[in-house]
Amino acid sequence: MKSSITASTIPKLLIVEDDVIFANTLNRRLTKHGFDCVQVDNNNDALLSCHRHSPDYILLDMKLAQENTLSIIKPLRQLRPQSRIILLTGFASIATAVDAIKLGADDYLSKPVDSQTLLATLKGNKVAPIADNNQNEKILSAEQVEWQHIQQVLKANQGNISATARQLSMHRRTLQRKLQKRPQSA
């Protein structure tokens, strides 16, 4: 018995990520959700794959080894004007988010990202953060936001303090002091 889904109805996704383990995880996760995934690890291959495979969706890691994918957003947009381009980054900042959107990205997500948020963003839906029923959506202080960001980066670096400090552009001892001072809940 043949499947009723044809190759033309399966959405194509180009994953541009130099972390092979993370790229493979994204590929498996999104293939299970019905995407036909192609993954590459540099800007030249991203442009070539975009031309060859005509993806409907493009996931870009902002930092690839020695390259920055912000520089290929415009060419990708010219090759595939209807594709959704999502920038993924462990180096989240308002400035790069604004730059990415101005260059033609459709959305911007910080790593690590959960499957629900990623799928919703690919489909063009905004996902509201899951509210804790025990708290009435309290506003976080700057210190609490910084703490959460540090924790996300630390998790992405599998607890490696030195790698996390480099990624956050701070001295290792400064990071250790910040980790010892967990901000009080408001």
Side-chain angles (χ1 to χ4, degrees):
M1 183 177 218
K2 286 188 174 181
S3 173
S4 61
I5 297 177
T6 63
S8 63
T9 61
I10 297 173
K12 295 179 186 176
L13 172 67
L14 174 61
I15 300 170
V16 184
E17 171 66 62
D18 62 340
D19 179 341
V20 177
I21 294 170
F22 184 62
N24 289 338
T25 302
L26 283 174
N27 191 330
R28 280 191 309 275
R29 189 188 312 175
L30 294 168
T31 298
K32 286 180 183 178
H33 287 281
F35 289 90
D36 177 16
C37 299
V38 173
Q39 62 189 71
V40 297
D41 63 1
N42 64 67
N43 286 350
N44 288 335
D45 288 347
L47 292 168
L48 185 59
S49 290
C50 186
H51 182 71
R52 284 184 179 163
H53 300 289
S54 301
D56 303 299
Y57 302 91
I58 303 168
L59 276 179
L60 292 175
D61 179 14
M62 189 174 83
K63 300 238 183 206
L64 303 174
Q66 303 301 320
E67 300 177 310
N68 185 319
T69 58
L70 288 175
S71 64
I72 64 167
I73 292 175
K74 276 188 178 183
L76 288 172
R77 179 57 67 208
Q78 290 171 344
L79 283 169
R80 298 292 301 159
Q82 301 304 317
S83 294
R84 279 195 56 77
I85 300 174
I86 312 299
L87 192 72
L88 283 174
T89 184
F91 303 91
S93 76
I94 293 172
T96 55
V98 169
D99 287 345
I101 301 302
K102 281 183 181 178
L103 290 168
D106 293 295
D107 221 319
Y108 182 96
L109 293 172
S110 294
K111 289 181 189 175
V113 63
D114 63 274
S115 295
Q116 177 188 1
T117 302
L118 182 56
L119 288 167
T121 303
L122 283 169
K123 293 175 183 175
N125 302 326
K126 294 291 180 187
V127 176
I130 299 170
D132 184 351
N133 293 334
N134 298 330
Q135 299 177 358
N136 292 327
E137 296 187 42
K138 295 179 182 175
I139 296 174
L140 299 177
S141 68
E143 292 83 14
Q144 290 168 321
V145 171
E146 179 186 44
W147 172 262
Q148 287 183 355
H149 180 64
I150 288 171
Q151 292 301 314
Q152 283 182 334
V153 175
L154 186 62
K155 182 179 178 185
N157 285 304
Q158 300 170 341
N160 185 321
I161 299 288
S162 296
T164 301
R166 279 191 300 275
Q167 190 170 343
L168 294 171
S169 300
M170 70 174 64
H171 195 278
R172 187 176 52 81
R173 282 183 267 164
T174 303
L175 176 59
Q176 287 173 325
R177 281 193 298 273
K178 287 181 180 285
L179 289 169
Q180 290 173 351
K181 296 180 184 177
R182 183 179 181 131
Q184 297 294 318
S185 298

